[in-house]
Amino acid sequence: MTEKQLTTDARGHQLTNINVWTPDSQWLVYDVRPHGGSFTGSTIERVNVETGETQVLYQAKDGAHVGVVTVSPDEPARYAFIHGPENPDALWQYDFHHRRGVIVSEPAREQAVTLDALDITAPYTPGALRGGTHVHVFSPDGSRLSFTYNDHVLHEHDPVLDLRNVGIALAGSPVTSAKQHPREYDGSHFSVLVSNTTPAPQPGSDDINRAYEEGWIGQEGYVKADGSRQRRALAFIGDTLSAEGEKHPEIFVVDLPENDADYRKAGDKPLQGTPETLPAPPAGVKQRRITFTENGIATQPRHWLRASPDGTQIAFLMKDHNAVVQVWTVSPNGGEPVQISHGVQGIQSAFSWRPDGKSLALICDNSVMRLDVQSGEMQRLTPRSDIAPCADAVVYSPDGRKVAFMRQFEGYAQICVADSD
């Protein structure tokens, strides 16, 4: 078991839960925050896993804060992250519905290009959004990004209507905002929501009032039950209500169009939304409920749904019959979940797949562990410690040789790596 601490200075160093490695497996990207729950960092940085060299990739200005950075899977590397508002004031400051996604590309890192346009003045603009985006994750081919979303327009009207949703941003289709409000801006991508929520789910139904913790399914999608291949799809957690009215988080899947032009076609509601309704998914994008569990899947520890590279399994956390949090998988086509881990100690963290699809990296019994998906056996990659590594991120490198994670040292999260074998 070998472990290496990469950062040492007295600042919090925050890894995102996935896509934190450059494609060559040489650098880890992070933001600088006292802890994951704050959003006060002003730089996006990276550290070399061999030399320990650090570089500032982006410096925010005018009182803005930045964080939650991910990397594209292709070269030259592109870095996507949250950007808070410049010159914040009493009416417009960082919040779930007041943030945007930006991309910084190699080698010209100085310019951050805004990816999601903002238009908060009716009648709104198709392809623009009316609020804030979060956790921008590139698709396996790098052509688009997923994100979670909150809506400024409905937040101002009635915060209860500002429901968390999942969306995607498509490259190659810039969107121009009418800019009738001083906070509106253009975007480099065409952005749409792909989840469908309602503020009042029918108990015992497939209605949800929150969509979150999404993940792309497969490097090349997945094979449907009829043998055809679905090229692009997302899995996410949706909060249903049981017949008794209790919250039941379940797994949902949305199959996405192959043709980018199809994202411009509205369904029975406007893509851009109305003053009373959220932006709506394009025509042909339908969400399916995949799990029908007895008590809902686990939401603590916080984790994001992660599909195997071949797209056959969606991994998630759920308690077993002993109330211990375990790793389970389910097919994107539905069916009964399969329990993968069987430990006495519960899973303590988010997780990621090794690129060969044979194992998951996670934290259990205060160690970084490798979980063999076929046998269910766990192997320690780091010694057991009195305090567990941080739960937010345990991420395999693209070459599968290392795992990145964080530990608390003297009150600050520091970035570490362990060998995966």
Side-chain angles (χ1 to χ4, degrees), residues 99-167:
R99 53 189 179 183
R100 66 188 192 271
V102 300
I103 294 179
V104 169
S105 301
E106 295 285 5
R109 302 174 184 167
E110 295 79 14
Q111 183 181 10
V113 177
T114 295
L115 65 90
D116 44 309
L118 182 72
D119 186 351
I120 57 174
T121 308
Y124 316 116
T125 304
L129 298 174
R130 305 118 45 102
T133 59
H134 175 246
V135 192
H136 309 87
V137 179
F138 287 94
S139 60
D141 66 358
S143 67
R144 58 208 67 208
L145 302 97
S146 68
F147 54 80
T148 42
Y149 173 78
N150 283 85
D151 195 82
H152 166 87
V153 172
L154 291 189
H155 190 90
E156 292 293 294
H157 180 66
D158 181 354
V160 173
L161 302 177
D162 175 22
L163 307 175
R164 175 65 58 90
N165 272 272
V166 171

Side-chain angles (χ1 to χ4, degrees), residues 244-280:
E244 294 73 34
E246 299 175 340
K247 183 179 81 169
H248 267 210
E250 299 286 354
I251 297 176
F252 288 75
V253 165
V254 284
D255 294 335
L256 302 173
E258 180 81 21
N259 189 339
D260 287 359
D262 290 340
Y263 291 88
R264 299 178 176 274
K265 299 175 183 177
D268 55 1
K269 298 178 182 178
L271 290 178
Q272 66 272 33
T274 72
E276 294 79 30
T277 62
L278 285 165

